[in-house]
């Protein structure tokens, strides 16, 4: 089979067609020749062997895209060596577009394209050709594959897929500064001809910008482009294929270019001289005016720092920049006074804060202006001569005493008269008044330093012509001390005197207090009252250091004999005039325990060691009372129910109650006195303690012999007494309903000689000195009292 083409449009195809037609079928058309698989017979026929050699010779088919003719476009021709031209061979076509786009003549093998093709959609088609025997439908040749390529023509213009574009470049940039690169695409075949060869050119934007024809890079073409003169530029770039030749297709895009700002403009004040009016009543720290320098730049390039460069203005005023408006805010640093200075001149400078050194050749980026400030006269409130006043006056001074004077004046030029008065809202106004014309302050009541040593008042001043303008000044009045308070003893507590105190021993050191101040209240002297007799128990010693010592004059105080003593003390201060006061101290006698230097009574020591307060003791006592009430209530309920004291499952008919009492020792001589059995009322009258010596019993003669009380009652019949008690027990309804045994111990009538105990036999006193027993401690205190020398106790 051979392939032949007869239609060629491009010059290259025309040459190929010409060469094909001149050479005939000798080059492209296959011919049937004997092969190793065939044998030529005698009659001229050939015998085909089992492995025949394929007779297809293939070339690629080419078809032009975008064919617009009325007839189908001829593509090529298929021919098989088995085709004798008698129509016995039938050609069939299969594959991409077979039967729809491409059709084949079954007899001649001619292929035509019935539709216009677009290479940009599909560049080639793969088809399969086969030759069949028309009669037997047997394949004369195996199915073979071939390709039809769509030949490109220049039918697509270049496009900018990302346009339009936005770009920026700093102003004042040098020529050739790169701005942006644009790229166009062409859908035509870049490997065939110049259909996709693009060249760039600028249609709009000259002479400011240029474009590279090959790369599409846009650059600045004009030097010193100023943003302040023109900020935005529109550039149109064209892309043309066919290498820019005539007949090529083109596309364009727009680039919006903005010049960004650089600091190439210094600040400028619109004018060189300004004027400002400021009243003298303007507050310090508050803005009084503003000034602005213009800068054509933007952002940080237009930031300006303002300053006052002359000392006259800088001492009274300050200036700062507002970040939003870029104005210079002028504020007052010190109060203005029209009477002192009426005008001020300020030299103000504005400087860029971000200077670009590339543009230093343009000059200094700063400017100056002069501001003249005129101070306005305002009617002002009176001004006191001092910011505050401190005065003093002696206490107890009579009403109307002059304390001091305040002075205020009108600061204005007319110098109006001033009127004074006190602020009625303050508490101390009741003690003072002020003269409304002179400003002299007087007392209205006598003052007491001990009650209030300082007074704070506020004096107000106003102009007579304009009372609404007020000024204030604080006045502090100190009350000076005079010696009008007598001294007193510093403590009101009782002084503890130990029973074991010796003559000459310091009981306690006392001090004094005085309500007067240091000058009159810190030097004290002490003495006993001169009109009283000498105290036999205690004496007072002035230590000459504003303290005094209480000294014992005898030994062995007893709290049983006398517990409390009173000691009057006279105290003098060192003031002028000399004042004195008498205080009476209470001295309590206690058996003391030694805890270092601290002495306390035994009862107090117990409470102190337990750490119990008065509230705690009351709570404990209440708890005890409640418990006792519960016990009494419980016993009462048990008796009302007639329940036995002993509960047992057995029937108890007899019960022995035993009282195990060991007695009170040698000193308890009354625990089992038979008198309690005979006559309890009489026994109570005869009871007395034998462990201490009774008061008022003094014996100088021989010892008296005491008879036992039982001897005086020996005539009482104990048997009758016991019978009486038995009857009372039987008649008592509150006792248990069973038998009980009550035993009464009775040792007899006693001895007619009486008691031989030495406690009740005071004889003559021994001449031996037992005073050393006082030093043996609390264990021998009782013995020291029994054998010590008796001394009379004198109470003052």
């Amino acid at each position: 089979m051979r392939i032949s083409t007869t239609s060629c449009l491009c010059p290259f195809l025309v040459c190929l067609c010409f060469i094909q037609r001149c050479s005939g079928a000798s080059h492209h058309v296959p011919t049937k020749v004997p092969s190793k698989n065939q044998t030529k017979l005698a009659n001229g026929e050939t015998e085909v062997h089992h492995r025949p050699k394929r007779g297809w010779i293939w070339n690629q088919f080419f078809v032009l895209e975008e064919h617009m003719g009325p007839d189908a476009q001829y593509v090529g021709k298929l021919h098989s060596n088995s085709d004798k031209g008698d129509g016995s061979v039938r050609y069939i076509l299969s594959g991409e577009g077979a039967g729809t786009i491409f059709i084949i003549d079954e007899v001649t093998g001619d292929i035509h394209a019935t539709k216009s093709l677009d290479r940009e959609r599909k560049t080639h088609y793969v088809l399969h050709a086969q030759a069949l025997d028309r009669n037997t439908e047997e394949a004369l040749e195996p199915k073979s594959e071939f390709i039809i390529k769509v030949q490109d023509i220049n039918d697509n213009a270049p496009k900018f897929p990302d346009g339009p574009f936005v770009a920026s470049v700093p102003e004042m940039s040098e020529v050739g500064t790169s701005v942006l690169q644009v790229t166009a695409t062409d859908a035509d075949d870049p490997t065939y001809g110049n259909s996709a060869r693009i060249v760039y050119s600028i249609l709009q934007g000259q002479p400011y910008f240029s474009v590279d024809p090959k790369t599409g890079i846009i650059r600045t073409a004009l030097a010193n482009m100023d943003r302040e003169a023109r900020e935005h530029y529109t550039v149109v770039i064209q892309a043309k294929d066919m290498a820019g030749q005539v007949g090529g297709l083109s596309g364009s895009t727009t680039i919006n270019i903005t010049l960004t700002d650089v600091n190439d403009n210094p600040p400028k004040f619109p004018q060189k001289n300004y004027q400002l009016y400021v009243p003298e009543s303007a507050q310090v720290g508050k803005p009084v005016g503003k000034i602005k320098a213009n800068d054509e730049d933007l952002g940080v390039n237009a930031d300006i720092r303002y300053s006052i460069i002359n000392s006259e203005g800088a001492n009274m005023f300050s200036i700062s920049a507002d970040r939003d408006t870029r104005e210079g805010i002028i504020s007052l640093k010190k109060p203005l006074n029209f009477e002192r200075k009426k005008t001020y001149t300020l030299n103000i400078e504005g400087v860029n804060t971000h200077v670009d050194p590339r543009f230093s050749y343009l000059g200094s980026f700063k400017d100056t202006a002069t501001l003249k400030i005129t101070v306005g006269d305002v009617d002002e409130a009176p001004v006191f001569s001092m910011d505050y006043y401190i005065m003093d006056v002696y206490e107890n001074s009579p009403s109307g005493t002059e304390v001091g004077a305040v002075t205020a004046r009108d600061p204005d030029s007319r110098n109006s008269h001033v009127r004074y008065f006190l602020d009625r809202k303050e508490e101390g106004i009741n003690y003072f008044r002020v003269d409304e014309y002179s400003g002299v302050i007087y007392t209205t009541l006598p003052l007491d330093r001990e009650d209030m040593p300082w007074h704070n008042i506020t004096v107000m001043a106003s102009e007579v012509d304009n009372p609404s303008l007020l000024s204030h000044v604080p006045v502090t009045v100190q009350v000076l001390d005079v010696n009008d308070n007598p001294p007193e003893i510093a403590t009101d507590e009782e002084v503890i005197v130990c029973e074991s105190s010796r003559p000459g021993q310091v009981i306690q050191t006392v001090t004094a207090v005085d309500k007067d101040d240091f000058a009159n209240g810190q030097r004290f002297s002490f003495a006993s009252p001169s009109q009283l007799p000498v105290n036999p128990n205690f004496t007072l010693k002035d230590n000459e250091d504003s303290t005094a010592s209480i000294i014992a004059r005898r030994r062995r105080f007893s709290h049983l004999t006398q517990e409390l003593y009173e000691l009057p003390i006279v105290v003098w201060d060192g003031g002028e005039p000399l004042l004195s006061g008498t205080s009476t101290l209470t001295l309590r006698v206690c058996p003391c325990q030694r805890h270092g230097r601290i002495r306390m009574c035994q009862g107090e020591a117990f409470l102190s060691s337990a750490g119990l307060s008065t509230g705690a003791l009351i709570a404990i006592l209440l708890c005890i009372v409640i418990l006792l009430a519960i016990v009494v209530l419980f016993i009462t309920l048990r008796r009302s129910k007639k329940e036995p004291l002993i509960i047992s499952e057995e029937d108890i008919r007899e019960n022995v109650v035993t009282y195990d009492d060991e007695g009170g020792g040698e000193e308890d001589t009354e625990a089992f006195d038979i008198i309690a059995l005979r006559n309890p009322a009489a026994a109570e009258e005869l009871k007395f303690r034998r462990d201490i010596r009774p008061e008022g019993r003094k014996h100088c003669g021989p010892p008296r012999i005491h008879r036992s009380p039982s001897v005086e009652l020996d005539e009482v019949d104990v048997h009758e007494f016991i019978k009486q008690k038995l009857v009372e027990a039987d008649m008592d309804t509150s006792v248990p309903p069973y038998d009980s045994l009550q035993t009464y111990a009775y040792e007899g009538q006693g001895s007619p000689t009486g008691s031989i105990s030495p406690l009740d036999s005071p004889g003559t006193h021994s001449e031996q000195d037992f005073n050393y027993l006082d030093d043996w401690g609390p264990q021998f205190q009782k013995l020291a009292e029994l054998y010590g020398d008796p001394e009379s106790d004198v109470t003052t």
Side-chain angles (χ1 to χ4, degrees):
M1 180 178 287
R2 68 178 181 178
I3 303 173
S4 63
T5 58
T6 58
S7 297
C8 297
L9 295 179
C10 64
F12 177 72
L13 294 178
V14 172
C15 295
L16 290 179
C17 292
F18 176 77
I19 296 173
Q20 180 181 5
R21 291 172 181 174
C22 293
S23 60
S26 61
H27 180 69
H28 293 284
V29 179
T31 58
K32 213 56 163 155
V33 293
S35 62
K36 295 182 179 181
N37 296 326
Q38 296 179 355
T39 303
K40 190 174 181 180
L41 300 179
N43 56 3
E45 296 181 358
T46 59
E47 181 182 3
V48 180
H49 296 280
H50 296 288
R51 296 182 62 185
K53 181 179 180 181
R54 191 180 67 178
W56 295 89
I57 298 178
W58 291 101
N59 282 332
Q60 290 182 347
F61 290 101
F62 294 92
V63 59
L64 291 177
E65 66 171 337
E66 305 293 344
H67 177 69
M68 303 302 293
D71 300 329
Q73 183 180 3
Y74 180 74
V75 178
K77 184 180 181 63
L78 298 180
H79 185 73
S80 175
N81 292 338
S82 301
D83 190 358
K84 303 298 184 179
D86 54 2
S88 60
V89 178
R90 184 169 69 90
Y91 298 95
I92 62 175
L93 190 66
S94 62
E96 296 179 340
T100 57
I101 299 177
F102 303 101
I103 58 175
I104 186 171
D105 191 324
E106 295 182 352
V107 178
T108 62
D110 293 332
I111 301 174
H112 290 82
T114 61
K115 295 182 179 181
S116 176
L117 302 180
D118 188 358
R119 190 200 67 83
E120 286 70 36
R121 293 185 178 180
K122 192 171 182 63
T123 59
H124 65 279
Y125 296 85
V126 179
L127 294 96
H128 300 85
Q130 192 174 20
L132 302 178
D133 189 306
R134 186 179 295 276
N135 297 322
T136 63
E137 292 297 326
E138 293 182 356
L140 300 178
E141 301 290 344
K143 182 183 294 187
S144 297
E145 182 180 279
F146 68 96
I147 298 174
I148 298 177
K149 287 190 174 182
V150 181
Q151 193 71 37
D152 181 51
I153 64 174
N154 188 17
D155 60 341
N156 290 279
K159 296 181 180 180
F160 294 92
D162 299 329
F165 300 89
V166 176
S168 62
V169 63
E171 63 173 333
M172 308 298 289
S173 297
E174 297 179 356
V175 175
T177 301
S178 176
V179 179
L180 179 69
Q181 182 179 12
V182 294
T183 302
T185 60
D186 196 321
D188 293 327
D189 189 359
T191 63
Y192 180 76
N194 295 326
S195 299
R197 186 178 177 185
I198 299 175
V199 174
Y200 300 95
S201 61
I202 185 168
L203 299 181
Q204 180 182 340
Q206 293 176 337
Y208 307 104
F209 299 95
S210 63
V211 64
D212 189 294
K214 294 182 179 180
T215 61
I217 297 176
I218 301 173
R219 303 179 185 276
T220 57
L222 186 65
N224 298 329
M225 287 189 293
D226 191 2
R227 184 200 64 82
E228 289 74 28
R230 182 178 178 182
E231 185 176 3
H232 301 286
Y233 295 85
T234 300
V235 177
V236 179
I237 301 297
Q238 182 189 66
K240 188 175 184 180
D241 58 11
M242 298 299 293
Q245 297 178 3
V246 178
L249 302 178
S250 64
S252 62
T253 187
T254 302
I255 301 95
N256 294 316
I257 301 177
T258 302
L259 297 182
T260 58
D261 184 64
V262 297
N263 192 7
D264 59 340
N265 294 280
K268 294 289 184 181
F269 286 100
Q271 57 191 59
K272 290 299 182 180
N273 295 288
Y274 296 86
Q275 290 186 354
L276 180 65
Y277 173 84
V278 179
E280 62 175 336
S281 59
Q283 297 182 7
V284 175
K286 298 295 183 179
V288 296
K290 57 186 178 179
I291 190 172
K292 184 178 180 180
N294 298 326
D295 193 323
E296 296 179 354
D297 296 323
L298 300 176
V300 296
N301 297 320
D303 287 344
I304 302 174
R305 182 180 69 252
Y306 296 94
S307 60
I308 302 174
I309 58 178
N310 65 320
S311 60
E312 177 187 355
N315 292 334
M316 294 295 297
F317 299 90
S318 63
I319 188 170
S320 61
D322 188 315
R323 293 184 178 181
D324 298 329
T325 62
R326 292 188 172 89
E327 294 176 331
I329 307 301
I330 302 171
S331 302
L332 188 62
K333 292 175 64 176
K334 297 179 181 179
L336 297 175
N337 192 329
F338 174 81
E339 288 72 26
R340 293 183 181 179
K341 190 173 180 62
K342 297 178 175 59
T343 60
Y344 292 89
T345 301
L346 279 66
N347 295 330
I348 300 176
E349 181 183 67
V351 182
N352 277 141
T353 57
H354 299 82
V355 179
D356 194 335
R358 295 178 301 171
F359 307 104
S360 59
Y361 64 91
L362 297 177
S364 60
F365 284 74
K366 62 182 179 181
D367 195 16
T368 58
T370 301
L371 174 63
K372 184 178 181 180
I373 295 180
T374 301
V375 180
D377 187 17
V378 177
D379 191 5
E380 301 175 84
V383 178
F384 284 93
S385 60
M386 299 176 63
D387 295 333
Y388 61 91
Y389 292 85
I390 299 178
M391 304 176 183
D392 55 62
V393 62
Y394 281 99
E395 65 175 330
N396 302 328
S397 297
S399 176
T401 301
E402 181 178 345
V403 179
V406 296
T407 304
R409 64 175 183 85
D410 183 10
D412 299 323
S413 57
R414 57 185 179 180
N415 195 13
S416 300
H417 293 288
V418 177
R419 174 176 166 269
Y420 303 93
F421 55 94
L422 295 180
D423 189 355
R424 297 293 175 180
K425 298 180 181 179
E426 297 185 350
E427 298 179 357
I429 190 173
N430 296 328
Y431 298 96
F432 304 94
R433 67 178 180 85
V434 62
D435 187 277
E436 62 177 344
Y437 300 108
S438 63
V440 178
I441 300 174
Y442 300 94
T443 61
T444 57
L445 294 172
L447 304 179
D448 187 1
R449 189 200 67 85
E450 289 72 32
D451 182 29
M452 185 180 295
W454 294 87
H455 294 267
N456 295 314
I457 60 175
T458 300
V459 179
M460 306 175 67
S462 65
E463 295 181 8
V464 176
D465 298 338
N466 189 0
S468 61
L469 295 177
L470 300 176
S471 58
H472 308 73
V473 66
V475 178
T476 301
V477 179
Q478 180 184 10
V479 181
L480 302 179
D481 182 59
V482 296
N483 193 19
D484 58 344
N485 292 278
E488 300 175 353
I489 297 298
T491 178
D492 294 333
E493 299 179 357
E494 296 178 344
V495 178
I496 302 302
V497 179
C498 292
E499 292 181 340
S500 60
S501 298
R502 301 179 182 179
Q505 181 178 348
V506 176
I507 302 300
Q508 186 169 331
T509 300
V510 295
T511 60
V513 293
D514 195 327
K515 294 181 180 180
D516 295 322
D517 63 6
F518 180 82
N520 296 320
Q522 295 298 322
R523 296 187 298 273
F524 302 105
S525 58
F526 303 83
S528 298
S530 59
Q531 66 273 17
L532 297 179
V534 178
N535 193 321
N537 301 307
F538 305 98
T539 185
L540 188 67
K541 178 185 177 182
D542 190 353
N543 298 325
E544 298 182 357
D545 59 354
S546 296
T547 63
S549 299
I550 301 175
I551 302 174
R553 303 190 67 174
R554 66 182 182 87
R555 70 173 65 232
R556 286 206 326 275
F557 295 90
S558 175
H559 73 284
L560 299 177
T561 304
Q562 183 175 348
E563 184 179 6
L564 299 177
Y565 294 88
E566 291 184 352
L567 179 63
I569 301 176
V570 180
V571 185
W572 288 273
D573 59 18
E576 188 65 36
L578 186 67
L579 297 180
S580 64
T582 302
S583 301
T584 301
L585 294 182
T586 300
L587 290 79
R588 180 180 295 274
V589 178
C590 293
C592 295
Q593 294 179 349
R594 295 179 180 269
H595 300 282
R597 296 182 179 180
I598 301 175
R599 298 182 180 182
M600 59 184 67
C601 290
Q602 292 178 351
E604 296 178 356
F606 171 77
L607 295 178
S608 177
S609 61
L612 298 178
S613 62
T614 304
L617 292 176
I618 294 174
I620 293 174
L621 293 176
L622 288 177
C623 293
I624 294 174
V625 171
I626 293 172
L627 290 176
L628 291 176
I630 294 174
V631 172
V632 172
L633 180 61
F634 177 76
I635 294 174
T636 304
L637 293 176
R638 292 293 297 271
R639 289 182 177 181
S640 64
K641 293 181 180 179
K642 302 298 184 177
E643 295 180 357
L645 295 177
I646 300 178
I647 301 175
S648 177
E649 297 179 355
E650 299 178 359
D651 186 10
I652 300 176
R653 297 299 180 181
E654 295 182 356
N655 183 30
V656 178
V657 180
T658 303
Y659 299 92
D660 188 8
D661 192 352
E662 296 183 358
E666 295 179 357
E667 296 181 353
D668 191 357
T669 60
E670 302 178 15
F672 300 98
D673 200 340
I674 195 64
I675 298 177
L677 295 176
R678 297 176 177 174
N679 190 357
E684 290 294 334
E685 296 177 359
L686 297 175
K687 284 184 179 179
F688 59 93
R689 294 189 60 180
R690 300 183 180 183
D691 56 344
I692 61 173
R693 181 175 299 173
E695 297 182 5
R697 295 179 61 187
K698 302 178 182 179
H699 304 279
C700 299
R704 293 173 56 187
I705 299 175
H706 296 271
R707 295 183 62 186
S708 174
S710 60
V711 177
E712 300 175 0
L713 302 175
D714 54 359
E715 67 276 2
V716 180
D717 190 352
V718 178
H719 183 264
E720 292 296 333
F721 176 76
I722 294 176
K723 285 180 65 177
Q724 181 183 355
K725 292 296 181 182
L726 179 58
V727 173
E728 292 178 358
D730 292 338
M731 298 302 293
D732 191 358
T733 60
S734 63
V735 300
Y738 42 78
D739 296 337
S740 63
L741 177 60
Q742 299 183 10
T743 302
Y744 298 92
Y746 178 56
E747 296 182 356
Q749 295 289 339
S751 174
T753 60
S755 176
I756 61 174
S757 173
L759 298 177
D760 293 332
S761 304
T764 57
H765 297 285
S766 173
E767 295 181 358
Q768 185 179 353
D769 185 8
F770 293 98
N771 291 333
Y772 61 87
L773 295 176
D774 295 334
D775 300 331
W776 287 14
Q779 294 83 356
F780 298 91
Q781 184 69 26
K782 181 68 66 176
L783 192 61
E785 293 177 357
L786 294 175
Y787 290 92
D789 292 335
E791 295 183 5
S792 62
D793 297 337
V794 180
T795 303
T796 59

